[in-house]
Amino acid sequence: MNRKMTQMLQPSFQLYFVCLILFAAASAFFSMYLAAAEAVVVVLLGLYYRENSRRRRREIAKYIENVTGNMDVATKDTMVNSPLPMVIFRPESDDIIWTNDRFLHLAGEKEHLFDAKLSSVIPDFDTRWLMEGKNECPTEVTFGPRRFLVYGHLVRASGREGGFLATTYWVDVTEFCQVRDQFRGSRPVMAVLLLDNYEDLMKNQTENQRSTIYAEVNARLDAWVAGTGGMLRRMERDRYLLLFEEQYLSRFVDQKFDILDTIHQVVNSSGLAATLSIGIGKDGGSFQELMQYANLSIEMALSRGGDQAVIRNKFTFEFYGGHSTETEKRTKVKSRVMANALSALVSDSSKLFIMGHKMPDMDATGAAVGVCAIARKKGVPAYIIREGGTNPSKPILDKLDQLPEYRGNFLSAQEALVAADSRSLVVVVDTNRPEQVQAQELLESCNRVAVIDHHRRAATYIEGAALNYHEPYASSACELVTELLQYIAEPTDLLRTEAEALLAGIVLDTKNFTMRTGGRTFEAAAFLRRSGADTGEVKRLFQNDLSGTIAKYDIIQNAKLYRDHIAIAVVDHTVGRVTAAQAADELLNIVGISTSFVLFPDGEQIIISGRSMGDTNVQVILEQLGGGGNAAAAGGQVAGKTLEQVAVELTQAIDRYLEEDS
């Protein structure tokens, strides 16, 4: 509005002429001759102004035409003689419209590429980034022996065809990429190699036999490292240090760390084969940081059962191998040390908060009950985190609710968070992953944490725990807690229901003492039996109602055979997680089936339950889908995908596992 008023008030030639005409008209009242003379002057001025305006418009038009022409010439000259290769094409049809000489030279053409498709000239060039509104290609483009960064933009084309035209500029960065790749390839990588079963391998061997074993191991390691220019040195009797350049790491990965299988050829006089674990650290800022990454990797490899390679960088872990069957390598010395440490930790705490994984099963609940018994023995109040709704351990929780010792001992995650103080101890059982615990906020808010778990460690795990009793060779978390109880309490200190809860956890994870069962498992069960556990009552805890049994066999009816020995049951409706797990177990009773998977939708996520007789490691398979567990029993939850998509991804994960294992 203000701008319009300003323009109206500005003087113009039209206003001057109006004023002159008004003065001439006023002069007519005094003298007609004077008025006529003024009118003649006004007409002459008007004619002059009109002619002068036309002349100026012609000059301005000529000037603009001259400037535009010069710009067109400059633009054309810039495009033709640009120091950068240029190509203009239609992104919808991939038709090349124009290229400059430098791009023709780049493409090895002498005349033109007007009738060609860009994809036929550069097959690996993806133009979707232009349609997404980006001005730079997100990846380097390889064109012949050269590499380029490509910049470009879109303009709307005029004419009948319409659409868009894309103009791209190609910047040669070959020398830069070569220097960068050479730098990255020459960065140091540190690896720690550990003979997992050194003690068993050298047990009852003569000096000559031990020397022979050492020589065979060293010969195979030297052959594996040969050609890398790396430095391999033995630090301890069972531990080696390897330092090499990063460019050779891809070779080890491509070979799937075949040294793991090669080292199995070293066998002692008792027929026991050697196994090797490899922990690799890369992307470290210093040798000290690389060594820290390598030590973290070797700890991760051992916590997952050994006989595998783990690579650690600044952000995550990568796993290779780990397909072999786990063997028991625990000693009672460690159990006694852990029992003493846990006893001291509990005694020094104001209260205990005990929790397992989300949707806790009998193993998680039984282990939590066992820790609660330890706290009662030490006179420290203990609380078990309980989720709302139903879960697989509801039968034993209902029995515990009736005991006077457990009145007020169950809290929600929010109640526990309010009740916690600086001396509170959080005990996590049957899981080592922070995102799987029942109350992650409570875990993060307390600085005193103890972890008791038997699952193979994943890329994410609870770090900085004051006590970490992690034994992937144990059958269950209940077995580990029972071993701790034997050094802290007497059988009479355990309530009958508590003993039955612990025994139920062992029965669940061992499939009635048929899977992952060692001598220590039966010793733990015997201790619980002496503590009053009734095996009949334990069996009743696993009874199903009629509808659950029917649902279980409906799942089995949906099972399809894959790869001749793997059963996959895809259920298109929600079922109970316990029912799905039992169906996966039941499938293993069918002749010829050694591995089973059950998939079903639950809200916005897909639940997967996997079971194995031991030949197939279902944890390694489901880890590819974000799950976890152990070699014989694993599970996973996939969000944001359909049931069909998850089923396809599962078969792809199975194929990758079997290809790596072959």
Side-chain angles (χ1 to χ4, degrees), residues 6 11 31 83 90 135 140 172 192 294 368 451 454 504 605:
T6 303
S31 172
R90 295 187 182 275
N135 294 323
E140 296 168 1
D172 192 337
V192 174
V451 179
H454 71 111
Q605 58 187 2

Side-chain angles (χ1 to χ4, degrees), residues 66 68 76 102 130 158 198 225 246 281 299 352 369 392 431 435 455 514 559 642 659:
N66 186 38
T68 304
K76 293 177 182 178
R102 288 186 178 272
L130 284 164
S158 59
Y198 173 83
V225 176
E246 189 171 326
E299 290 176 10
L352 264 67
V369 168
T431 184
E435 69 273 12
H455 293 101
T514 59
T642 64
E659 289 171 3

Side-chain angles (χ1 to χ4, degrees), residues 112-137:
H112 62 80
L113 292 169
F114 300 152
D115 299 328
K117 298 281 188 181
L118 185 61
S119 57
S120 64
V121 179
I122 312 175
D124 298 331
F125 183 46
D126 188 355
T127 61
R128 285 180 297 180
W129 55 277
L130 284 164
M131 302 301 291
E132 294 171 356
K134 299 177 182 177
N135 294 323
E136 181 180 353
C137 184

Side-chain angles (χ1 to χ4, degrees), residues 1-10:
M1 184 64 182
N2 293 334
R3 184 178 180 183
K4 291 182 179 179
M5 292 294 296
T6 303
Q7 291 176 349
M8 291 176 64
L9 294 174
Q10 286 180 349

Side-chain angles (χ1 to χ4, degrees), residues 75-89:
T75 301
K76 293 177 182 178
D77 183 71
T78 300
M79 293 176 65
V80 172
N81 300 314
S82 171
L84 298 177
M86 292 178 59
V87 57
I88 300 176
F89 63 96

Side-chain angles (χ1 to χ4, degrees), residues 277-289:
S277 288
I278 304 174
I280 297 176
K282 70 171 188 174
D283 296 341
S286 62
F287 284 101
Q288 183 178 4
E289 193 172 12

Side-chain angles (χ1 to χ4, degrees), residues 292-354:
Q292 181 183 357
Y293 289 166
N295 286 330
L296 286 173
S297 298
I298 200 68
E299 290 176 10
M300 177 66 77
L302 294 176
S303 68
R304 291 167 55 86
D307 194 20
Q308 59 190 279
V310 178
I311 300 176
R312 166 76 183 192
N313 56 28
K314 290 182 179 180
F315 306 105
T316 186
F317 290 95
E318 298 174 22
F319 304 103
Y320 301 90
H323 297 171
S324 61
T325 304
E326 297 170 349
T327 56
E328 187 174 357
K329 302 177 185 177
R330 294 183 293 145
T331 64
K332 290 188 176 182
V333 175
K334 184 175 181 180
S335 299
R336 185 172 65 252
V337 170
M338 286 294 174
N340 293 334
L342 180 62
S343 180
L345 201 58
V346 170
S347 299
D348 191 43
S349 302
S350 60
K351 60 189 73 171
L352 264 67
F353 297 100
I354 312 162

